Amino acid sequence: GQQVMQIPQYQHVQEGEDFTTYCNSSTTLSNIQWYKQRPGGHPVFLIQLVKSGEVKKQKRLTFQFGEAKKNSSLHITATQTTDVGTYFCAGRGIASGTYKYIFGTGTRLKVLA
Amino acid sequence: GAGVSQSPSNKVTEKGKDVELRCDPISGHTALYWYRQRLGQGLEFLIYFQGNSAPDKSGLPSDRFSAERTGESVSTLTIQRTQQEDSAVYLCASSPGIGQPQHFGDGTRLSIL
C-alpha cells in the first residue's frame, strides 16, 4: 500500500536558523496537504499543493511539490520559537480511487532560543 | 463557528470492554475521517466517510473496530473487546468536500488498563 516517509524525524535548530522537512511517497500523488501539530494539540492545516512543480509561500514558509508528484518539501526561513511542533505531510494517491489521505511520519521541530 | 467536537476527551477502560467514541463534524462538511495517533507517532488512517457514499474502511486494523455515520452528521467509532494496543489518541477530522483541507477535533485519549 501507499507509504509516505518524512525526513528528518527530529530537528533541533537555533532560533533564526532555517529548517527543511522532506516528504516522499511510494506512489504518485493527486495532491498533498501539510499540517502542523503543536505539542499536546491537534493537527492544523497549513496548505495544499495540487500541480506538478507547484511552489507556494506563506510568510516565512515555502512549500514545494515535486515535478513527479511523489515528493514535497516545507522550508522555514529564520525559525522562531513559535514554529515549534511536528510537521506532517498527507498525500492522496492518484490511483487510490478514494479520497483517503496517508499521513507522513512527521518531523518534530525544536527551536532553541 | 463551532469546530469539530469529539467526546469524551479522555476515556480509561479495562481490557476487554467496549468503547464508543463520538465525533460532531463542522456543519455542512460532507467528508469525515477517523485517525489513530499513538504516543509520539504519526496519524494512522482508519476510515473515511463522504456524503452517502460507501465508506472507505481500508484502514480499520481489525474486525473489532467499526464506525458509523448517518448522513452528514455525527459519527461514532466503536472498539469492541479493547486491547492494550488500542491505547492511543483517536482523532476525527471533517472537510467541506472531497480533496479539501481537513479540520481536526481535539481527539479522544483512550487508555486501556
Side-chain angles (χ1 to χ4, degrees):
Chain A
Q2 180 190 351
Q3 291 186 327
V4 180
M5 302 296 293
Q6 282 182 254
I7 54 170
Q9 188 176 3
Y10 301 96
Q11 185 82 58
H12 293 185
V13 299
Q14 287 291 137
E15 190 173 22
E17 291 183 340
D18 292 356
F19 159 77
T20 304
T21 173
Y22 299 90
C23 176
N24 296 290
S25 170
S26 59
T27 60
T28 304
L29 300 173
S30 173
N31 58 41
I32 194 159
Q33 299 175 344
W34 282 92
Y35 292 82
K36 176 184 178 181
Q37 185 175 29
R38 292 182 184 273
H42 59 261
V44 175
F45 173 80
L46 294 176
I47 208 155
Q48 176 166 278
L49 304 171
V50 178
K51 298 176 184 176
S52 169
E54 188 169 16
V55 178
K56 285 190 176 179
K57 293 191 175 186
Q58 286 181 350
K59 297 182 180 177
R60 295 178 295 104
L61 278 61
T62 302
F63 303 83
Q64 290 189 315
F65 201 6
E67 294 290 340
K69 300 185 77 173
K70 292 184 74 172
N71 55 68
S72 182
S73 65
L74 158 58
H75 179 81
I76 303 178
T77 304
T79 54
Q80 300 175 358
T81 54
T82 52
D83 295 325
V84 164
T86 301
Y87 292 84
F88 292 101
C89 61
R92 182 175 80 86
I94 203 165
S96 68
T98 78
Y99 281 83
K100 75 179 183 186
Y101 282 82
I102 302 301
F103 275 71
T105 46
T107 296
R108 188 175 300 176
L109 173 65
K110 199 168 202 174
V111 180
L112 307 171
Chain B
V4 176
S5 177
Q6 291 188 247
S7 61
S9 53
N10 283 283
K11 178 72 175 179
V12 181
T13 192
E14 293 180 345
K15 176 181 171 182
K17 300 286 188 184
D18 296 353
V19 294
E20 188 174 279
L21 313 180
R22 177 186 170 107
C23 173
D24 279 274
I26 294 172
S27 177
H29 280 195
T30 60
L32 187 147
Y33 302 79
W34 283 98
Y35 296 93
R36 178 170 68 181
Q37 187 172 34
R38 292 196 167 104
L39 187 62
Q41 303 296 311
L43 278 72
E44 178 185 358
F45 168 80
L46 297 178
I47 189 168
Y48 159 72
F49 296 90
Q50 170 57 44
N52 294 316
S53 302
D56 181 341
K57 303 179 182 180
S58 59
L60 295 178
S62 76
D63 59 7
R64 296 187 295 106
F65 288 72
S66 63
E68 291 184 348
R69 186 185 188 197
T70 305
E72 296 179 359
S73 62
V74 170
S75 176
T76 55
L77 175 69
T78 301
I79 309 174
Q80 295 179 311
R81 305 181 302 282
T82 52
Q83 303 293 314
Q84 286 189 331
E85 63 261 28
D86 298 335
S87 296
V89 174
Y90 289 81
L91 289 161
C92 173
S94 70
S95 72
I98 53 177
Q100 295 296 308
Q102 298 174 56
H103 300 257
F104 283 82
D106 288 333
T108 293
R109 184 175 300 276
L110 178 63
S111 301
I112 309 300
L113 304 179

